[in-house]
Amino acid sequence: MANKTLKSTTFVIFGAGGDLSTRKILPAIYKLVESKKLSKFCIIGLARTDRKFNDIIKEAKKHIKTSKKDQAKAKKIWEKIEQRSTYLSLDFNTESGYQQLKETIHKLESRYNKTKNRLFYLATLPTQYQNITKYLTKYQIATKSSIKFSRIAYEKPFGTDQITAKKINKCINKVFHEKLVYRIDHYLGKELVSNMALLRFTNRVLEPLWSNKHIEKVDIVMTEKLDIGKRGNFYDNYGALKDVVQNHLLQLVALTAMEQPKKLEAKYIRDQKVKVLQKTKIQSMQLGQYNKFTKVKGVKKNSKTDTFAALKLTINNSRWRGVPFNIKTGKALNKKETYIDIKFKHIPCLLQSCPRETNHLRINIKDPNITLKINSKLPGTKNQVIPISLKFSENLHFDQNSPKAYENLIEQIIQGDQSAFVRSDEVEASWKIIDAAIKKHKGKLLTYKKGSTGPKVPK
Ligand code: BG6
């Protein structure tokens, strides 16, 4: 990406002391300052507890790796961030603190960001979204008249079902025009996910084959070694289906299956994603739980929450009718993998030597790389066919430090580009799929051993 200077920005981070803020948001801001894209900025960190901003920065620093030779430079950048930041303890649900927030923002902006572009970043529980949104407007902290731009970013999960998502959307859209709302799904900031549309629609060797005529099935896999860790309380109320399938994995389905947008712009991309989600139906689902899950702090002893989910989806349109989209995800498994696998149909065999393997395209989001498996002659033999891999590795061909998801996303919010953010109707359409899946699910919860390949999923 070209080194483009970003508009000056005031970051107002709700939930500044939390995991997301210290692991992702602040390190992303650091990266934008380091690359000199961001020079005029200030940060107001908000959380309930009494803390100092430099304690939060201490945490954030752990997530930026610096080589020995760059240590002096890194120190300077962190000092700059610290100098331009302040912390305010605020009970998000109580109105009284918002006047003080307004004054704090003014004070800092008068020194560091006179343009008053503001980005409100809600790294909080979804239950707090409605009050924060309401008070930001009531106290004219986020009103159009007083400042140049104000954009508001919400982290997933966006509700717990379609009804709650609709309620939250309604409340937000009462005060913020949809054009100012950035619903974050960090998967859309990943390099190969943001590459999906271009990959599909700019390649003659792919797009004409991208349908039930040539594709047998699509597998979307996101497995993790990571267990629930310290997130017992949160996770026990969500589970795999709501934590990652409703958002990350259905976004991957939508990007894989959508029709070509008229232009590669937010409106058109999101229109196509919604259309395909509205045609997506659940065919079957298995849920599982790893054996030590109920021992995790914050998890109920008799919890039936899923830490593993396998779903078969179908898309009822002429392009995809008959092609299963298989989704698999799980915590505490034997390896971390994230990929989309497209299995092509067998080619009619006209030769004596028929290939046993069909063509496969794997879009590996984690590493990231793209591998195409084709058939070729085994060297030295007479017409014996073996599969060979053509591999394109992002890290080999581009900048080794290709931007991380949050850095990309924050940059896009400041630029006002909504194409990698989820629109209200997309969120509601994907919850509808999940609600139907839960309603239809009759099977029992399968169990699996921590560190294993997961439960045996019946075909
Ligand atoms: C988050 C989920 O959205 O994504 C986590 O809440 C999960 O449970 C994480 O671990 C996975 O993200 P990534 O980028 O590591 O695949």
Side-chain angles (χ1 to χ4, degrees), residues 196 200-201 210 218 220 250-259 276 315 319-320 325 340 342 363:
M196 277 299 283
R200 283 187 51 195
F201 301 118
W210 212 258
V218 178
I220 298 184
L250 286 181
Q251 281 295 320
L252 296 184
V253 170
L255 287 166
T256 307
M258 71 178 182
E259 294 300 314
V276 88
I315 299 174
R319 188 191 280 263
W320 293 113
F325 278 67
I340 302 170
I342 315 282
I363 300 161

mmCIF file with all atom_site columns, all heavy atoms in Angstrom, residues 196 200-201 210 218 220 250-259 276 315 319-320 325 340 342 363:
data_model
loop_
_atom_site.group_PDB
_atom_site.id
_atom_site.type_symbol
_atom_site.label_atom_id
_atom_site.label_alt_id
_atom_site.label_comp_id
_atom_site.label_asym_id
_atom_site.label_entity_id
_atom_site.label_seq_id
_atom_site.pdbx_PDB_ins_code
_atom_site.Cartn_x
_atom_site.Cartn_y
_atom_site.Cartn_z
_atom_site.occupancy
_atom_site.B_iso_or_equiv
_atom_site.pdbx_formal_charge
_atom_site.auth_seq_id
_atom_site.auth_comp_id
_atom_site.auth_asym_id
_atom_site.auth_atom_id
_atom_site.pdbx_PDB_model_num
ATOM 1   N N   . MET A 1 196 ? -9.943  -11.389 -1.888  1.00 0.00 ? 196 MET A N   1
ATOM 2   C CA  . MET A 1 196 ? -10.867 -12.377 -2.477  1.00 0.00 ? 196 MET A CA  1
ATOM 3   C C   . MET A 1 196 ? -11.565 -11.885 -3.751  1.00 0.00 ? 196 MET A C   1
ATOM 4   O O   . MET A 1 196 ? -11.628 -12.590 -4.747  1.00 0.00 ? 196 MET A O   1
ATOM 5   C CB  . MET A 1 196 ? -11.943 -12.777 -1.459  1.00 0.00 ? 196 MET A CB  1
ATOM 6   C CG  . MET A 1 196 ? -11.521 -13.848 -0.498  1.00 0.00 ? 196 MET A CG  1
ATOM 7   S SD  . MET A 1 196 ? -11.077 -15.386 -1.320  1.00 0.00 ? 196 MET A SD  1
ATOM 8   C CE  . MET A 1 196 ? -12.666 -16.065 -1.724  1.00 0.00 ? 196 MET A CE  1
ATOM 9   N N   . ARG A 1 200 ? -10.926 -13.459 -7.474  1.00 0.00 ? 200 ARG A N   1
ATOM 10  C CA  . ARG A 1 200 ? -11.998 -14.110 -8.226  1.00 0.00 ? 200 ARG A CA  1
ATOM 11  C C   . ARG A 1 200 ? -12.300 -13.401 -9.547  1.00 0.00 ? 200 ARG A C   1
ATOM 12  O O   . ARG A 1 200 ? -12.456 -14.028 -10.578 1.00 0.00 ? 200 ARG A O   1
ATOM 13  C CB  . ARG A 1 200 ? -13.281 -14.104 -7.395  1.00 0.00 ? 200 ARG A CB  1
ATOM 14  C CG  . ARG A 1 200 ? -13.307 -15.132 -6.305  1.00 0.00 ? 200 ARG A CG  1
ATOM 15  C CD  . ARG A 1 200 ? -14.674 -15.149 -5.682  1.00 0.00 ? 200 ARG A CD  1
ATOM 16  N NE  . ARG A 1 200 ? -15.719 -15.279 -6.680  1.00 0.00 ? 200 ARG A NE  1
ATOM 17  C CZ  . ARG A 1 200 ? -17.007 -15.036 -6.457  1.00 0.00 ? 200 ARG A CZ  1
ATOM 18  N NH1 . ARG A 1 200 ? -17.403 -14.677 -5.254  1.00 0.00 ? 200 ARG A NH1 1
ATOM 19  N NH2 . ARG A 1 200 ? -17.893 -15.176 -7.401  1.00 0.00 ? 200 ARG A NH2 1
ATOM 20  N N   . PHE A 1 201 ? -12.421 -12.078 -9.475  1.00 0.00 ? 201 PHE A N   1
ATOM 21  C CA  . PHE A 1 201 ? -12.978 -11.379 -10.631 1.00 0.00 ? 201 PHE A CA  1
ATOM 22  C C   . PHE A 1 201 ? -11.951 -10.833 -11.611 1.00 0.00 ? 201 PHE A C   1
ATOM 23  O O   . PHE A 1 201 ? -12.307 -10.217 -12.598 1.00 0.00 ? 201 PHE A O   1
ATOM 24  C CB  . PHE A 1 201 ? -13.913 -10.258 -10.152 1.00 0.00 ? 201 PHE A CB  1
ATOM 25  C CG  . PHE A 1 201 ? -15.051 -10.781 -9.318  1.00 0.00 ? 201 PHE A CG  1
ATOM 26  C CD1 . PHE A 1 201 ? -15.205 -10.409 -7.995  1.00 0.00 ? 201 PHE A CD1 1
ATOM 27  C CD2 . PHE A 1 201 ? -15.966 -11.674 -9.861  1.00 0.00 ? 201 PHE A CD2 1
ATOM 28  C CE1 . PHE A 1 201 ? -16.249 -10.909 -7.227  1.00 0.00 ? 201 PHE A CE1 1
ATOM 29  C CE2 . PHE A 1 201 ? -17.009 -12.191 -9.104  1.00 0.00 ? 201 PHE A CE2 1
ATOM 30  C CZ  . PHE A 1 201 ? -17.142 -11.812 -7.786  1.00 0.00 ? 201 PHE A CZ  1
ATOM 31  N N   . TRP A 1 210 ? -16.094 -20.684 -11.534 1.00 0.00 ? 210 TRP A N   1
ATOM 32  C CA  . TRP A 1 210 ? -16.546 -20.459 -10.155 1.00 0.00 ? 210 TRP A CA  1
ATOM 33  C C   . TRP A 1 210 ? -18.062 -20.715 -10.014 1.00 0.00 ? 210 TRP A C   1
ATOM 34  O O   . TRP A 1 210 ? -18.836 -19.801 -9.784  1.00 0.00 ? 210 TRP A O   1
ATOM 35  C CB  . TRP A 1 210 ? -16.203 -19.008 -9.793  1.00 0.00 ? 210 TRP A CB  1
ATOM 36  C CG  . TRP A 1 210 ? -15.861 -18.790 -8.350  1.00 0.00 ? 210 TRP A CG  1
ATOM 37  C CD1 . TRP A 1 210 ? -16.689 -18.260 -7.396  1.00 0.00 ? 210 TRP A CD1 1
ATOM 38  C CD2 . TRP A 1 210 ? -14.627 -19.060 -7.693  1.00 0.00 ? 210 TRP A CD2 1
ATOM 39  N NE1 . TRP A 1 210 ? -16.047 -18.193 -6.191  1.00 0.00 ? 210 TRP A NE1 1
ATOM 40  C CE2 . TRP A 1 210 ? -14.766 -18.685 -6.350  1.00 0.00 ? 210 TRP A CE2 1
ATOM 41  C CE3 . TRP A 1 210 ? -13.395 -19.593 -8.090  1.00 0.00 ? 210 TRP A CE3 1
ATOM 42  C CZ2 . TRP A 1 210 ? -13.748 -18.798 -5.413  1.00 0.00 ? 210 TRP A CZ2 1
ATOM 43  C CZ3 . TRP A 1 210 ? -12.376 -19.718 -7.157  1.00 0.00 ? 210 TRP A CZ3 1
ATOM 44  C CH2 . TRP A 1 210 ? -12.558 -19.322 -5.843  1.00 0.00 ? 210 TRP A CH2 1
ATOM 45  N N   . VAL A 1 218 ? -17.050 -26.614 -1.253  1.00 0.00 ? 218 VAL A N   1
ATOM 46  C CA  . VAL A 1 218 ? -16.188 -25.573 -0.679  1.00 0.00 ? 218 VAL A CA  1
ATOM 47  C C   . VAL A 1 218 ? -16.052 -25.869 0.819   1.00 0.00 ? 218 VAL A C   1
ATOM 48  O O   . VAL A 1 218 ? -17.060 -26.057 1.506   1.00 0.00 ? 218 VAL A O   1
ATOM 49  C CB  . VAL A 1 218 ? -16.819 -24.165 -0.877  1.00 0.00 ? 218 VAL A CB  1
ATOM 50  C CG1 . VAL A 1 218 ? -15.957 -23.090 -0.237  1.00 0.00 ? 218 VAL A CG1 1
ATOM 51  C CG2 . VAL A 1 218 ? -17.037 -23.867 -2.359  1.00 0.00 ? 218 VAL A CG2 1
ATOM 52  N N   . ILE A 1 220 ? -14.585 -24.406 4.393   1.00 0.00 ? 220 ILE A N   1
ATOM 53  C CA  . ILE A 1 220 ? -14.014 -23.228 5.057   1.00 0.00 ? 220 ILE A CA  1
ATOM 54  C C   . ILE A 1 220 ? -13.653 -23.646 6.481   1.00 0.00 ? 220 ILE A C   1
ATOM 55  O O   . ILE A 1 220 ? -14.515 -24.074 7.247   1.00 0.00 ? 220 ILE A O   1
ATOM 56  C CB  . ILE A 1 220 ? -15.014 -22.055 5.019   1.00 0.00 ? 220 ILE A CB  1
ATOM 57  C CG1 . ILE A 1 220 ? -15.278 -21.688 3.553   1.00 0.00 ? 220 ILE A CG1 1
ATOM 58  C CG2 . ILE A 1 220 ? -14.483 -20.865 5.818   1.00 0.00 ? 220 ILE A CG2 1
ATOM 59  C CD1 . ILE A 1 220 ? -16.176 -20.499 3.326   1.00 0.00 ? 220 ILE A CD1 1
ATOM 60  N N   . LEU A 1 250 ? -19.035 -16.669 8.119   1.00 0.00 ? 250 LEU A N   1
ATOM 61  C CA  . LEU A 1 250 ? -20.074 -16.330 7.136   1.00 0.00 ? 250 LEU A CA  1
ATOM 62  C C   . LEU A 1 250 ? -19.615 -15.204 6.214   1.00 0.00 ? 250 LEU A C   1
ATOM 63  O O   . LEU A 1 250 ? -20.028 -15.121 5.059   1.00 0.00 ? 250 LEU A O   1
ATOM 64  C CB  . LEU A 1 250 ? -21.388 -15.980 7.838   1.00 0.00 ? 250 LEU A CB  1
ATOM 65  C CG  . LEU A 1 250 ? -22.144 -17.199 8.411   1.00 0.00 ? 250 LEU A CG  1
ATOM 66  C CD1 . LEU A 1 250 ? -23.454 -16.774 9.064   1.00 0.00 ? 250 LEU A CD1 1
ATOM 67  C CD2 . LEU A 1 250 ? -22.429 -18.250 7.330   1.00 0.00 ? 250 LEU A CD2 1
ATOM 68  N N   . GLN A 1 251 ? -18.728 -14.360 6.685   1.00 0.00 ? 251 GLN A N   1
ATOM 69  C CA  . GLN A 1 251 ? -18.145 -13.348 5.785   1.00 0.00 ? 251 GLN A CA  1
ATOM 70  C C   . GLN A 1 251 ? -17.304 -14.040 4.708   1.00 0.00 ? 251 GLN A C   1
ATOM 71  O O   . GLN A 1 251 ? -17.323 -13.645 3.554   1.00 0.00 ? 251 GLN A O   1
ATOM 72  C CB  . GLN A 1 251 ? -17.276 -12.356 6.577   1.00 0.00 ? 251 GLN A CB  1
ATOM 73  C CG  . GLN A 1 251 ? -18.069 -11.283 7.319   1.00 0.00 ? 251 GLN A CG  1
ATOM 74  C CD  . GLN A 1 251 ? -18.811 -10.336 6.384   1.00 0.00 ? 251 GLN A CD  1
ATOM 75  O OE1 . GLN A 1 251 ? -18.297 -9.945  5.347   1.00 0.00 ? 251 GLN A OE1 1
ATOM 76  N NE2 . GLN A 1 251 ? -20.028 -9.966  6.742   1.00 0.00 ? 251 GLN A NE2 1
ATOM 77  N N   . LEU A 1 252 ? -16.581 -15.085 5.107   1.00 0.00 ? 252 LEU A N   1
ATOM 78  C CA  . LEU A 1 252 ? -15.785 -15.813 4.106   1.00 0.00 ? 252 LEU A CA  1
ATOM 79  C C   . LEU A 1 252 ? -16.698 -16.511 3.098   1.00 0.00 ? 252 LEU A C   1
ATOM 80  O O   . LEU A 1 252 ? -16.416 -16.532 1.899   1.00 0.00 ? 252 LEU A O   1
ATOM 81  C CB  . LEU A 1 252 ? -14.859 -16.834 4.777   1.00 0.00 ? 252 LEU A CB  1
ATOM 82  C CG  . LEU A 1 252 ? -13.770 -16.274 5.696   1.00 0.00 ? 252 LEU A CG  1
ATOM 83  C CD1 . LEU A 1 252 ? -12.863 -17.391 6.206   1.00 0.00 ? 252 LEU A CD1 1
ATOM 84  C CD2 . LEU A 1 252 ? -12.918 -15.224 4.984   1.00 0.00 ? 252 LEU A CD2 1
ATOM 85  N N   . VAL A 1 253 ? -17.826 -17.050 3.585   1.00 0.00 ? 253 VAL A N   1
ATOM 86  C CA  . VAL A 1 253 ? -18.796 -17.661 2.663   1.00 0.00 ? 253 VAL A CA  1
ATOM 87  C C   . VAL A 1 253 ? -19.283 -16.593 1.683   1.00 0.00 ? 253 VAL A C   1
ATOM 88  O O   . VAL A 1 253 ? -19.305 -16.796 0.464   1.00 0.00 ? 253 VAL A O   1
ATOM 89  C CB  . VAL A 1 253 ? -20.009 -18.245 3.447   1.00 0.00 ? 253 VAL A CB  1
ATOM 90  C CG1 . VAL A 1 253 ? -21.128 -18.663 2.486   1.00 0.00 ? 253 VAL A CG1 1
ATOM 91  C CG2 . VAL A 1 253 ? -19.582 -19.424 4.307   1.00 0.00 ? 253 VAL A CG2 1
ATOM 92  N N   . ALA A 1 254 ? -19.653 -15.435 2.219   1.00 0.00 ? 254 ALA A N   1
ATOM 93  C CA  . ALA A 1 254 ? -20.215 -14.381 1.371   1.00 0.00 ? 254 ALA A CA  1
ATOM 94  C C   . ALA A 1 254 ? -19.208 -13.924 0.309   1.00 0.00 ? 254 ALA A C   1
ATOM 95  O O   . ALA A 1 254 ? -19.556 -13.768 -0.859  1.00 0.00 ? 254 ALA A O   1
ATOM 96  C CB  . ALA A 1 254 ? -20.664 -13.211 2.236   1.00 0.00 ? 254 ALA A CB  1
ATOM 97  N N   . LEU A 1 255 ? -17.950 -13.744 0.715   1.00 0.00 ? 255 LEU A N   1
ATOM 98  C CA  . LEU A 1 255 ? -16.947 -13.286 -0.257  1.00 0.00 ? 255 LEU A CA  1
ATOM 99  C C   . LEU A 1 255 ? -16.628 -14.354 -1.295  1.00 0.00 ? 255 LEU A C   1
ATOM 100 O O   . LEU A 1 255 ? -16.324 -14.044 -2.445  1.00 0.00 ? 255 LEU A O   1
ATOM 101 C CB  . LEU A 1 255 ? -15.660 -12.877 0.465   1.00 0.00 ? 255 LEU A CB  1
ATOM 102 C CG  . LEU A 1 255 ? -15.745 -11.561 1.237   1.00 0.00 ? 255 LEU A CG  1
ATOM 103 C CD1 . LEU A 1 255 ? -14.554 -11.418 2.173   1.00 0.00 ? 255 LEU A CD1 1
ATOM 104 C CD2 . LEU A 1 255 ? -15.790 -10.373 0.276   1.00 0.00 ? 255 LEU A CD2 1
ATOM 105 N N   . THR A 1 256 ? -16.719 -15.620 -0.887  1.00 0.00 ? 256 THR A N   1
ATOM 106 C CA  . THR A 1 256 ? -16.440 -16.707 -1.829  1.00 0.00 ? 256 THR A CA  1
ATOM 107 C C   . THR A 1 256 ? -17.577 -16.849 -2.829  1.00 0.00 ? 256 THR A C   1
ATOM 108 O O   . THR A 1 256 ? -17.359 -17.163 -3.999  1.00 0.00 ? 256 THR A O   1
ATOM 109 C CB  . THR A 1 256 ? -16.266 -18.049 -1.061  1.00 0.00 ? 256 THR A CB  1
ATOM 110 O OG1 . THR A 1 256 ? -15.297 -17.856 -0.041  1.00 0.00 ? 256 THR A OG1 1
ATOM 111 C CG2 . THR A 1 256 ? -15.821 -19.169 -1.972  1.00 0.00 ? 256 THR A CG2 1
ATOM 112 N N   . ALA A 1 257 ? -18.806 -16.613 -2.343  1.00 0.00 ? 257 ALA A N   1
ATOM 113 C CA  . ALA A 1 257 ? -19.962 -16.971 -3.174  1.00 0.00 ? 257 ALA A CA  1
ATOM 114 C C   . ALA A 1 257 ? -20.637 -15.792 -3.868  1.00 0.00 ? 257 ALA A C   1
ATOM 115 O O   . ALA A 1 257 ? -21.432 -15.992 -4.767  1.00 0.00 ? 257 ALA A O   1
ATOM 116 C CB  . ALA A 1 257 ? -20.986 -17.694 -2.295  1.00 0.00 ? 257 ALA A CB  1
ATOM 117 N N   . MET A 1 258 ? -20.325 -14.572 -3.475  1.00 0.00 ? 258 MET A N   1
ATOM 118 C CA  . MET A 1 258 ? -21.097 -13.436 -4.007  1.00 0.00 ? 258 MET A CA  1
ATOM 119 C C   . MET A 1 258 ? -20.937 -13.284 -5.528  1.00 0.00 ? 258 MET A C   1
ATOM 120 O O   . MET A 1 258 ? -19.948 -13.722 -6.113  1.00 0.00 ? 258 MET A O   1
ATOM 121 C CB  . MET A 1 258 ? -20.687 -12.132 -3.311  1.00 0.00 ? 258 MET A CB  1
ATOM 122 C CG  . MET A 1 258 ? -19.326 -11.645 -3.688  1.00 0.00 ? 258 MET A CG  1
ATOM 123 S SD  . MET A 1 258 ? -18.947 -10.090 -2.867  1.00 0.00 ? 258 MET A SD  1
ATOM 124 C CE  . MET A 1 258 ? -17.332 -9.754  -3.537  1.00 0.00 ? 258 MET A CE  1
ATOM 125 N N   . GLU A 1 259 ? -21.927 -12.638 -6.123  1.00 0.00 ? 259 GLU A N   1
ATOM 126 C CA  . GLU A 1 259 ? -21.824 -12.300 -7.544  1.00 0.00 ? 259 GLU A CA  1
ATOM 127 C C   . GLU A 1 259 ? -20.890 -11.107 -7.693  1.00 0.00 ? 259 GLU A C   1
ATOM 128 O O   . GLU A 1 259 ? -20.603 -10.410 -6.714  1.00 0.00 ? 259 GLU A O   1
ATOM 129 C CB  . GLU A 1 259 ? -23.206 -11.932 -8.084  1.00 0.00 ? 259 GLU A CB  1
ATOM 130 C CG  . GLU A 1 259 ? -24.196 -13.089 -8.094  1.00 0.00 ? 259 GLU A CG  1
ATOM 131 C CD  . GLU A 1 259 ? -23.728 -14.261 -8.956  1.00 0.00 ? 259 GLU A CD  1
ATOM 132 O OE1 . GLU A 1 259 ? -23.267 -14.027 -10.081 1.00 0.00 ? 259 GLU A OE1 1
ATOM 133 O OE2 . GLU A 1 259 ? -23.825 -15.417 -8.488  1.00 0.00 ? 259 GLU A OE2 1
ATOM 134 N N   . VAL A 1 276 ? -26.205 -12.881 -1.130  1.00 0.00 ? 276 VAL A N   1
ATOM 135 C CA  . VAL A 1 276 ? -25.825 -14.285 -1.022  1.00 0.00 ? 276 VAL A CA  1
ATOM 136 C C   . VAL A 1 276 ? -26.135 -14.824 0.384   1.00 0.00 ? 276 VAL A C   1
ATOM 137 O O   . VAL A 1 276 ? -26.582 -15.965 0.542   1.00 0.00 ? 276 VAL A O   1
ATOM 138 C CB  . VAL A 1 276 ? -24.365 -14.495 -1.487  1.00 0.00 ? 276 VAL A CB  1
ATOM 139 C CG1 . VAL A 1 276 ? -23.358 -14.322 -0.398  1.00 0.00 ? 276 VAL A CG1 1
ATOM 140 C CG2 . VAL A 1 276 ? -24.204 -15.837 -2.127  1.00 0.00 ? 276 VAL A CG2 1
ATOM 141 N N   . ILE A 1 315 ? -26.434 -22.840 -0.786  1.00 0.00 ? 315 ILE A N   1
ATOM 142 C CA  . ILE A 1 315 ? -26.813 -21.507 -1.274  1.00 0.00 ? 315 ILE A CA  1
ATOM 143 C C   . ILE A 1 315 ? -27.793 -21.700 -2.419  1.00 0.00 ? 315 ILE A C   1
ATOM 144 O O   . ILE A 1 315 ? -27.465 -22.317 -3.436  1.00 0.00 ? 315 ILE A O   1
ATOM 145 C CB  . ILE A 1 315 ? -25.563 -20.714 -1.719  1.00 0.00 ? 315 ILE A CB  1
ATOM 146 C CG1 . ILE A 1 315 ? -24.628 -20.544 -0.513  1.00 0.00 ? 315 ILE A CG1 1
ATOM 147 C CG2 . ILE A 1 315 ? -25.970 -19.347 -2.286  1.00 0.00 ? 315 ILE A CG2 1
ATOM 148 C CD1 . ILE A 1 315 ? -23.304 -19.924 -0.840  1.00 0.00 ? 315 ILE A CD1 1
ATOM 149 N N   . ARG A 1 319 ? -25.993 -20.213 -9.365  1.00 0.00 ? 319 ARG A N   1
ATOM 150 C CA  . ARG A 1 319 ? -24.546 -20.448 -9.380  1.00 0.00 ? 319 ARG A CA  1
ATOM 151 C C   . ARG A 1 319 ? -24.146 -21.584 -8.429  1.00 0.00 ? 319 ARG A C   1
ATOM 152 O O   . ARG A 1 319 ? -23.235 -22.356 -8.707  1.00 0.00 ? 319 ARG A O   1
ATOM 153 C CB  . ARG A 1 319 ? -23.812 -19.165 -8.986  1.00 0.00 ? 319 ARG A CB  1
ATOM 154 C CG  . ARG A 1 319 ? -22.313 -19.265 -9.173  1.00 0.00 ? 319 ARG A CG  1
ATOM 155 C CD  . ARG A 1 319 ? -21.584 -18.103 -8.540  1.00 0.00 ? 319 ARG A CD  1
ATOM 156 N NE  . ARG A 1 319 ? -21.582 -16.901 -9.329  1.00 0.00 ? 319 ARG A NE  1
ATOM 157 C CZ  . ARG A 1 319 ? -20.575 -16.509 -10.139 1.00 0.00 ? 319 ARG A CZ  1
ATOM 158 N NH1 . ARG A 1 319 ? -19.505 -17.250 -10.257 1.00 0.00 ? 319 ARG A NH1 1
ATOM 159 N NH2 . ARG A 1 319 ? -20.643 -15.378 -10.785 1.00 0.00 ? 319 ARG A NH2 1
ATOM 160 N N   . TRP A 1 320 ? -24.822 -21.671 -7.282  1.00 0.00 ? 320 TRP A N   1
ATOM 161 C CA  . TRP A 1 320 ? -24.309 -22.563 -6.245  1.00 0.00 ? 320 TRP A CA  1
ATOM 162 C C   . TRP A 1 320 ? -25.199 -23.745 -5.877  1.00 0.00 ? 320 TRP A C   1
ATOM 163 O O   . TRP A 1 320 ? -24.823 -24.558 -5.045  1.00 0.00 ? 320 TRP A O   1
ATOM 164 C CB  . TRP A 1 320 ? -24.005 -21.759 -4.970  1.00 0.00 ? 320 TRP A CB  1
ATOM 165 C CG  . TRP A 1 320 ? -22.883 -20.805 -5.164  1.00 0.00 ? 320 TRP A CG  1
ATOM 166 C CD1 . TRP A 1 320 ? -22.968 -19.455 -5.157  1.00 0.00 ? 320 TRP A CD1 1
ATOM 167 C CD2 . TRP A 1 320 ? -21.510 -21.130 -5.425  1.00 0.00 ? 320 TRP A CD2 1
ATOM 168 N NE1 . TRP A 1 320 ? -21.734 -18.904 -5.400  1.00 0.00 ? 320 TRP A NE1 1
ATOM 169 C CE2 . TRP A 1 320 ? -20.813 -19.909 -5.567  1.00 0.00 ? 320 TRP A CE2 1
ATOM 170 C CE3 . TRP A 1 320 ? -20.793 -22.317 -5.567  1.00 0.00 ? 320 TRP A CE3 1
ATOM 171 C CZ2 . TRP A 1 320 ? -19.449 -19.859 -5.833  1.00 0.00 ? 320 TRP A CZ2 1
ATOM 172 C CZ3 . TRP A 1 320 ? -19.436 -22.260 -5.829  1.00 0.00 ? 320 TRP A CZ3 1
ATOM 173 C CH2 . TRP A 1 320 ? -18.781 -21.046 -5.962  1.00 0.00 ? 320 TRP A CH2 1
ATOM 174 N N   . PHE A 1 325 ? -21.270 -25.987 1.159   1.00 0.00 ? 325 PHE A N   1
ATOM 175 C CA  . PHE A 1 325 ? -20.259 -25.138 1.791   1.00 0.00 ? 325 PHE A CA  1
ATOM 176 C C   . PHE A 1 325 ? -20.091 -25.703 3.208   1.00 0.00 ? 325 PHE A C   1
ATOM 177 O O   . PHE A 1 325 ? -20.989 -25.579 4.037   1.00 0.00 ? 325 PHE A O   1
ATOM 178 C CB  . PHE A 1 325 ? -20.724 -23.680 1.845   1.00 0.00 ? 325 PHE A CB  1
ATOM 179 C CG  . PHE A 1 325 ? -20.498 -22.937 0.556   1.00 0.00 ? 325 PHE A CG  1
ATOM 180 C CD1 . PHE A 1 325 ? -21.205 -23.268 -0.597  1.00 0.00 ? 325 PHE A CD1 1
ATOM 181 C CD2 . PHE A 1 325 ? -19.566 -21.889 0.496   1.00 0.00 ? 325 PHE A CD2 1
ATOM 182 C CE1 . PHE A 1 325 ? -20.981 -22.586 -1.791  1.00 0.00 ? 325 PHE A CE1 1
ATOM 183 C CE2 . PHE A 1 325 ? -19.334 -21.195 -0.691  1.00 0.00 ? 325 PHE A CE2 1
ATOM 184 C CZ  . PHE A 1 325 ? -20.041 -21.547 -1.843  1.00 0.00 ? 325 PHE A CZ  1
ATOM 185 N N   . ILE A 1 340 ? -9.710  -21.427 2.926   1.00 0.00 ? 340 ILE A N   1
ATOM 186 C CA  . ILE A 1 340 ? -10.865 -21.732 2.095   1.00 0.00 ? 340 ILE A CA  1
ATOM 187 C C   . ILE A 1 340 ? -10.361 -22.724 1.058   1.00 0.00 ? 340 ILE A C   1
ATOM 188 O O   . ILE A 1 340 ? -9.341  -22.474 0.402   1.00 0.00 ? 340 ILE A O   1
ATOM 189 C CB  . ILE A 1 340 ? -11.379 -20.466 1.372   1.00 0.00 ? 340 ILE A CB  1
ATOM 190 C CG1 . ILE A 1 340 ? -11.755 -19.388 2.389   1.00 0.00 ? 340 ILE A CG1 1
ATOM 191 C CG2 . ILE A 1 340 ? -12.572 -20.793 0.470   1.00 0.00 ? 340 ILE A CG2 1
ATOM 192 C CD1 . ILE A 1 340 ? -12.028 -18.027 1.750   1.00 0.00 ? 340 ILE A CD1 1
ATOM 193 N N   . ILE A 1 342 ? -11.311 -24.909 -2.281  1.00 0.00 ? 342 ILE A N   1
ATOM 194 C CA  . ILE A 1 342 ? -12.268 -25.105 -3.364  1.00 0.00 ? 342 ILE A CA  1
ATOM 195 C C   . ILE A 1 342 ? -11.906 -26.400 -4.071  1.00 0.00 ? 342 ILE A C   1
ATOM 196 O O   . ILE A 1 342 ? -10.802 -26.510 -4.631  1.00 0.00 ? 342 ILE A O   1
ATOM 197 C CB  . ILE A 1 342 ? -12.178 -23.948 -4.407  1.00 0.00 ? 342 ILE A CB  1
ATOM 198 C CG1 . ILE A 1 342 ? -12.114 -22.576 -3.736  1.00 0.00 ? 342 ILE A CG1 1
ATOM 199 C CG2 . ILE A 1 342 ? -13.264 -24.054 -5.475  1.00 0.00 ? 342 ILE A CG2 1
ATOM 200 C CD1 . ILE A 1 342 ? -13.389 -22.038 -3.240  1.00 0.00 ? 342 ILE A CD1 1
ATOM 201 N N   . ILE A 1 363 ? -6.996  -21.233 -0.457  1.00 0.00 ? 363 ILE A N   1
ATOM 202 C CA  . ILE A 1 363 ? -6.649  -19.862 -0.082  1.00 0.00 ? 363 ILE A CA  1
ATOM 203 C C   . ILE A 1 363 ? -6.357  -19.905 1.409   1.00 0.00 ? 363 ILE A C   1
ATOM 204 O O   . ILE A 1 363 ? -7.260  -20.039 2.235   1.00 0.00 ? 363 ILE A O   1
ATOM 205 C CB  . ILE A 1 363 ? -7.804  -18.907 -0.431  1.00 0.00 ? 363 ILE A CB  1
ATOM 206 C CG1 . ILE A 1 363 ? -8.060  -18.990 -1.944  1.00 0.00 ? 363 ILE A CG1 1
ATOM 207 C CG2 . ILE A 1 363 ? -7.486  -17.472 -0.005  1.00 0.00 ? 363 ILE A CG2 1
ATOM 208 C CD1 . ILE A 1 363 ? -9.408  -18.478 -2.367  1.00 0.00 ? 363 ILE A CD1 1
#
